[in-house]
């Protein structure tokens, strides 16, 4: 009963933008979109989150479509250290609602 | 430095020998949780705690216990470990209110039960 759908893998050339898509067609009005990544069996790392507006921080940008049924995480200048599994998660941002991790997208940044 | 620490990082044990994996955070977070990660199954939540003395089951609690006597610590206890508990374990914490969005994860504990 995954709430999100992501491609299993993607490649990106070093220095280019990495655009990682995520479908969440059943998202509810009070659910946020979160992105985490996991570098080779390390603990997952928070990247960014958003509700309906586009968001940007020092790591990435998050573009959410107007109908909120899909989003794209953008790493503007991918480096080899960005090679990781990227997880797109939808979640109500309150209480004890857990993060539910799907299979994510394995991004390989190639020199 | 804000962080979640776990000990030990690696552990090999035998079936039935009780063990505890410690987890500590220095961010005064109310919420803490434990996950296990297995190939093909992803990250699954074992237990979580909303605050001191408040714990609840996640998706895969069987065979595990937790306690939350202090805000900073959330140990995971395996009373009688079995081989199917061989896994990579992560502890995590997050704050409440405006700080509730970012969840911090520990470095992981790789457990092997023989």
């Amino acid at each position: 009963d995954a709430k999100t759908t992501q491609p299993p893998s993607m490649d990106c050339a070093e220095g280019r933008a990495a655009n990682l898509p995520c479908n969440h067609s059943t998202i509810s009005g009070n659910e946020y979109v979160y992105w985490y990544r996991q570098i080779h069996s390390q603990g997952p790392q928070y990247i960014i989150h958003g509700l309906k507006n586009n968001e940007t921080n020092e790591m990435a940008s998050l573009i959410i479509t107007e109908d909120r049924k899909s989003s794209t995480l953008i790493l503007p200048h991918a480096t080899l250290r960005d090679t990781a599994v990227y997880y797109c998660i939808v979640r109500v941002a309150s209480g004890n609602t857990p993060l539910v991790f799907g299979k994510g997208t394995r991004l390989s940044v190639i020199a | 430095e804000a962080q979640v620490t776990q000990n030990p990082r690696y552990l090999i044990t035998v079936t039935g020998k009780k063990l505890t994996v410690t987890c500590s955070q220095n961010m005064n977070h109310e919420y803490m949780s434990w996950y296990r990660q297995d190939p093909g199954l992803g990250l699954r939540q074992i237990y979580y705690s909303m605050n001191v003395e408040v714990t609840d089951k996640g998706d895969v609690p069987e065979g595990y216990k937790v306690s939350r006597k202090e805000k900073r610590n959330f140990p995971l206890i395996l009373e009688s470990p079995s081989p199917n508990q061989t896994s990579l374990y992560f502890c995590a914490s997050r704050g409440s209110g405006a700080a509730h969005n970012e969840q911090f994860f520990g470095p992981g504990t790789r457990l092997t039960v023989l």
Side-chain angles (χ1 to χ4, degrees), chain A residues 34-37 44-50 57 59, chain B residues 101-105:
Chain A
Y34 293 79
W35 283 84
Y36 281 73
R37 73 180 183 183
Q45 176 190 23
Y46 165 86
I47 302 173
I48 200 167
H49 75 280
N57 63 20
M59 288 183 70
Chain B
N101 288 304
E102 180 174 358
Q103 189 151 292
F104 292 81
F105 285 81

Side-chain angles (χ1 to χ4, degrees), chain B residues 4-48:
Chain B
V4 178
T5 56
Q6 296 178 225
N7 282 291
R9 297 289 314 280
Y10 302 90
L11 179 61
I12 301 174
T13 189
V14 295
T15 299
K17 186 176 181 181
K18 180 180 178 180
L19 67 92
T20 298
V21 184
T22 64
C23 172
S24 182
Q25 49 94 4
N26 63 359
M27 295 165 281
N28 201 37
H29 283 167
E30 289 78 16
Y31 181 95
M32 297 185 74
S33 63
W34 277 100
Y35 290 82
R36 62 178 287 175
Q37 186 171 30
D38 304 287
L41 296 176
L43 281 141
R44 296 176 292 169
Q45 192 181 52
I46 304 171
Y47 267 95
Y48 65 91

Side-chain angles (χ1 to χ4, degrees), chain B:
Chain B
E1 179 189 357
Q3 61 182 352
V4 178
T5 56
Q6 296 178 225
N7 282 291
R9 297 289 314 280
Y10 302 90
L11 179 61
I12 301 174
T13 189
V14 295
T15 299
K17 186 176 181 181
K18 180 180 178 180
L19 67 92
T20 298
V21 184
T22 64
C23 172
S24 182
Q25 49 94 4
N26 63 359
M27 295 165 281
N28 201 37
H29 283 167
E30 289 78 16
Y31 181 95
M32 297 185 74
S33 63
W34 277 100
Y35 290 82
R36 62 178 287 175
Q37 186 171 30
D38 304 287
L41 296 176
L43 281 141
R44 296 176 292 169
Q45 192 181 52
I46 304 171
Y47 267 95
Y48 65 91
S49 169
M50 295 292 289
N51 214 323
V52 175
E53 301 292 0
V54 180
T55 64
D56 211 341
K57 297 176 181 178
D59 294 324
V60 288
E62 294 78 22
Y64 304 95
K65 286 175 58 178
V66 292
S67 69
R68 188 88 183 275
K69 294 185 171 59
E70 307 164 281
K71 200 171 188 179
R72 63 182 295 125
N73 296 323
F74 190 45
L76 180 69
I77 303 156
L78 285 71
E79 295 268 3
S80 183
S82 63
N84 64 13
Q85 293 178 297
T86 292
S87 187
L88 179 58
Y89 292 87
F90 292 103
C91 181
S93 73
R94 70 169 183 256
S96 60
H100 64 179
N101 288 304
E102 180 174 358
Q103 189 151 292
F104 292 81
F105 285 81
T109 294
R110 190 169 291 279
L111 172 66
T112 301
V113 183
L114 302 175

Side-chain angles (χ1 to χ4, degrees), chain A residues 1 13 32 45 48 51 65 68-69 77-79 86 88 96 101 104:
Chain A
D1 58 346
Y32 285 67
Q45 176 190 23
I48 200 167
L51 182 63
T65 58
R68 301 212 319 126
K69 293 185 177 182
H77 305 286
T79 71
Y86 287 77
C88 170
N96 61 2
F101 290 81

Side-chain angles (χ1 to χ4, degrees), chain A residues 5-12 19-21 84-86 103-110:
Chain A
T5 303
Q6 299 177 252
S9 64
M10 293 181 64
D11 292 339
C12 178
N19 296 281
L20 293 93
V85 178
Y86 287 77
K103 291 184 168 30
T105 295
R106 182 172 297 277
L107 175 69
S108 298
V109 181
I110 303 164

